[in-house]
Amino acid sequence: MLAAAIALVGSLFFALGAALQQFEAAGTANPGLLALLRRPRWLIGGASILTGGGLHIVALGLGPLTVVQPMGVASLLFALPIAATLHGRRPSRAELGAAGVVAAGLIILVLLVPESDGPTHLGPQGVLTLLGVAGIAAVLLWAGSKAASPAGRSALLATSSGVLYGATATLMRVLVDGGWNWWYLLALPVPALLALMMLQRAYAAGHFGVSFASLQIADPLTAVAFGALLLGEPLPTGIAPFAAAALTAAGTVALARTSPLEARIDAA
């Protein structure tokens, strides 16, 4: 119960941070990191996200993954009302319902992923493959966003960010579980910074619910895919994973239809 409670509070901090950062990035023509770093609310959002991540790590030390991970998914349900309040509106029932569908699908997915046993190891060639595949996928998604609608642009850019964050998480796991390597540590900030840049561009497109849901989906799925392809970890079997994936996809499409285009109230 303590682990679940701490993870839930961590999700609230993560949601608050994401909503603050989106509010600062929304509607801006050039959501560059240097410009956003000069905005106090964006920095407060970053501190809130780090706090949420720290609480999530503490929760993992107190309880099993099957209890903590579903609590992390709750950040989507927290983030939508917070973001709507910042933009001076109330979230609609349809918007919250679509977010609930995404959250339900994600919870099923994280519970279906088998736990890996033993230390992980990835050689230099594997790291280059990891970064190369993630980079190519991110560029293709970014290129596709150029011709997409605002909602589609939010989804594609956030998915690009999620792929890069998934690669970052995989590399971090290799460092923590498989042995320390300074070369890997130096490579770690590259996908992380690119993911942060892509995410701010997704937020700038204005559909927070779509971008945050796409990020929540792409990040863990990419980490699971890389774990299976490069680390030999098991994948969930049966029809349930496909049903859960279909549920999250349907919820994201519904969010794209119900989530309004948002820009900062004080934007020029």
Side-chain angles (χ1 to χ4, degrees):
M1 290 297 294
L2 180 60
I6 291 175
L8 201 60
V9 174
S11 294
L12 180 58
F13 272 100
F14 191 83
L16 175 62
L20 285 171
Q21 289 197 336
Q22 190 270 344
F23 181 74
E24 290 301 314
T28 57
N30 183 27
L33 290 182
L34 292 179
L36 292 171
L37 284 170
R38 292 194 289 268
R39 296 185 174 182
R41 272 184 298 205
W42 191 89
L43 291 173
I44 293 171
S48 183
I49 290 172
L50 289 175
T51 301
L55 289 172
H56 190 78
I57 292 172
V58 171
L60 284 172
L62 296 173
L65 193 67
T66 52
V67 171
V68 175
Q69 287 292 68
M71 296 298 104
V73 174
S75 58
L76 176 62
L77 301 178
F78 291 143
L80 283 181
I82 294 172
T85 301
L86 288 172
H87 288 283
R89 67 175 185 86
R90 291 183 179 179
S92 66
R93 290 183 179 178
E95 192 178 357
L96 292 175
V101 171
V102 175
L106 279 172
I107 288 173
I108 296 171
L109 280 173
V110 299
L111 291 178
L112 287 174
V113 175
E115 291 189 28
S116 59
D117 13 331
T120 57
H121 174 74
L122 193 63
Q125 187 64 40
V127 171
L128 291 175
T129 301
L130 170 72
L131 296 177
V133 170
I136 291 171
V139 169
L140 290 175
L141 288 163
W142 168 78
S145 72
K146 296 289 186 180
S149 65
R153 179 174 172 80
S154 294
L156 289 172
L157 287 172
T159 301
S160 174
S161 175
V163 168
L164 291 167
Y165 274 132
T168 305
T170 304
L171 191 54
M172 178 66 78
R173 283 188 52 225
V174 171
L175 276 168
V176 173
D177 296 340
W180 198 256
N181 188 307
W182 286 105
W183 186 82
Y184 294 176
L185 184 64
L186 291 175
L188 192 64
V190 176
L193 286 175
L194 289 174
L196 184 59
M197 291 169 60
M198 287 290 187
L199 185 58
Q200 302 315 306
R201 291 183 180 275
Y203 286 163
H207 287 270
F208 176 65
V210 178
S211 56
F212 196 67
S214 299
L215 175 70
Q216 292 277 84
I217 296 168
D219 184 353
L221 288 184
T222 301
V224 169
F226 278 137
L229 293 173
L230 297 175
L231 304 177
E233 296 178 345
L235 284 172
T237 57
I239 196 173
F242 296 99
L247 200 60
T248 58
T252 305
V253 171
L255 267 177
R257 293 176 176 175
T258 58
S259 175
L261 186 66
E262 294 168 325
R264 285 180 61 201
I265 296 172
D266 57 349

